[in-house]
Amino acid sequence: MNSLPVAVDAMGGDNAPEAIVEGARMAAGEGLGVVLVGPPEQLDGSGLEVIPAHEVVGMDADPGASVRRLKDASVVRAAEAVRDGKACAMLSAGNTGAAMASALLRFGRIKGVVRPAVACLFPVPGRATPTVVLDCGANSDCVAGWLVQFARMGAVYSRAAFGTAEPRVGLLSIGEEAGKGSALVKEVFGLLEDPGWQDRAGARFVGNVEGRDLLLDCADVIVTDGFTGNVMLKTAEGVAAVIASQIIGLADSSPEARAGADLFFPALMGLYETFDPENTGGAVLLGVRGVCTISHGSSSPKAIASAIGVSHQLAAAGVVSQIADAVTG
Amino acid sequence: MNSLPVAVDAMGGDNAPEAIVEGARMAAGEGLGVVLVGPPEQLDGSGLEVIPAHEVVGMDADPGASVRRLKDASVVRAAEAVRDGKACAMLSAGNTGAAMASALLRFGRIKGVVRPAVACLFPVPGRATPTVVLDCGANSDCVAGWLVQFARMGAVYSRAAFGTAEPRVGLLSIGEEAGKGSALVKEVFGLLEDPGWQDRAGARFVGNVEGRDLLLDCADVIVTDGFTGNVMLKTAEGVAAVIASQIIGLADSSPEARAGADLFFPALMGLYETFDPENTGGAVLLGVRGVCTISHGSSSPKAIASAIGVSHQLAAAGVVSQIADAVTG
């Protein structure tokens, strides 16, 4: 789809570089352009093109300091490849903060964007397209204007990536009625209600949504501050993971359960795949001048291959230039 | 356990009064003292004692205005029964805000409590005691000192209700390290870290916890503002509910799945009961001069009976006087 490859941080992730290289090879096998970024001596056997980088930002390292100090880090070089026109997008499963900082420092912000935001996708059973939730962690303390711009960027993302003609924007709160929520939410509600804003954004404001609506078909975009969004993201993942591990454990609770599990688990696998965060293609940093996709640290090769596909798709759809048009328009 | 009965708002809840009356009768059958509050003409057939109340606050009514205007509402009269020494606790499955407002206006705040907070319980697989999370919705916009007091009240609750000798207090944030999170969280972190505070509270601060830790054994008390806490509560309930309904739907996806489900679902029911919010005994408003327990609107009779038991337990444990001692100590 794009003539340029996706620059993949080969050294980021719990199982890097093995899982990352394998995922990149899978994507390449499907005809997707990929270039690995990392130490050539570890990657040359992969059969893929390599952009050399000799340092690595640890999973727990301080993002800002690391990115400033480790100028030859794989995640930094991946961002530079996009900046320098050698790649159409960057992808990292490593230190999330370092990937965001690299993108922000090397790409720069889109003119008119006040704060870039992390957008995550949540599956909606029975609906073909996922819900875009932002901000999921880039900005802990927000003011109303930022959330309004997040809503705008989220609408562009939903339209570009999933073809949603007029995305429905919901505002995360703790009650459906207009007056419910924090002072921040009440102020944002008034701004999103404005028909002029909705016209300009090509979006429709559907009012407050609650935590329990996350996986239901009530909005295409859910907007919130980065603190609340990150808590929601991790709560959803944590609850799903605990339930999944409990269900697996139940299979050994009795001979009947074991026999039932053998018959029922194949059906259950499809559900597991729907909710597995690895399959959603990862988080995307919106508002910077390039595509930056962030995958889970525990991503499997399949998840990496899928995220490479999503990165290509976002680049081909022109999400960056569409956001640029939207925020200045 | 208590000589006084629990005053049950018979008219609050999606299936009131039928489900409430049935639950109250179950509790009475187990030897627990109960008094129903509502219109005698509807409740006299129950065989239970009735405190007359002729108005009802609707599920979607404005809480503050309703409680001020409807002085003969069942939820208001239930609060008055506690205030007047006729009941040891009040319980409502109706409008949550109205229950809180009734308790606040009729009981009053405990001296020294800046803001009452809603405490909810979350099950931890493999641990006998649940985690107390507060505030789950009473205060959308908080300052640091309030959260420190919430932590103190949560520790008292965990000790009184579950016998936790030295409750571990976690601070909800979006990263484990001390410097992570919003400005509010960083300030609270510094205050909870103080060994003097921990000594006075008889609690141990275990640092930041994340959304994904909610159902894990990492803290006995999780403290957060009422906006974030409510989003977390509803996200957890929503994700669990969607997964449960998807699993039930899968049973009809093929004959194999059906056969497997017939064998596996009995084991699954135990898990369902563990995670069913109806079985946790409901939310409790801490910081007011009386026990106020709030159940889900959709509570079954069994859930109501269980919440009546919890209300008795909290009254017998002297949670109110212990919080009073803690906040002045």
Side-chain angles (χ1 to χ4, degrees), chain B residues 28 36 42 50 62 80 98 116 129 139 154 197 223 226 231 233 237 254 256 263 265 271 275 305:
Chain B
L36 295 175
Q42 284 191 57
V50 175
D62 178 74
E80 285 175 357
T129 57
N139 308 279
W197 181 86
V223 63
V231 167
L233 167 69
E237 290 183 357
S254 74
E256 290 75 24
L263 289 164
F265 279 18
L271 183 66
F275 285 104

Side-chain angles (χ1 to χ4, degrees), chain B residues 134-206:
Chain B
L134 76 172
D135 176 15
C136 283
N139 308 279
S140 288
D141 294 290
C142 292
V143 298
W146 302 0
L147 266 73
V148 174
Q149 200 174 62
F150 297 165
R152 190 85 183 245
M153 294 196 292
V156 168
Y157 182 18
S158 181
R159 200 179 301 114
F162 311 113
T164 322
E166 190 184 43
R168 292 164 300 163
V169 172
L171 175 62
L172 184 61
S173 189
I174 63 170
E176 290 175 10
E177 305 80 5
K180 292 291 178 67
S182 61
L184 174 66
V185 162
K186 288 176 197 169
E187 190 182 347
V188 175
F189 193 104
L191 295 168
L192 294 178
E193 236 183 351
D194 172 25
W197 181 86
Q198 296 183 49
D199 279 352
R200 287 192 300 278
R204 187 156 51 86
F205 178 52
V206 295

Side-chain angles (χ1 to χ4, degrees), chain B residues 213-259:
Chain B
D213 301 321
L214 178 61
L215 305 179
L216 305 180
D217 180 21
C218 61
D220 302 298
V221 176
I222 294 177
V223 63
T224 185
D225 65 272
F227 186 85
T228 311
N230 193 272
V231 167
M232 181 160 77
L233 167 69
K234 288 177 179 162
T235 300
E237 290 183 357
V239 167
V242 166
I243 292 177
S245 80
Q246 291 288 308
I247 289 176
I248 291 167
L250 282 176
D252 293 320
S253 61
S254 74
E256 290 75 24
R258 173 83 273 164

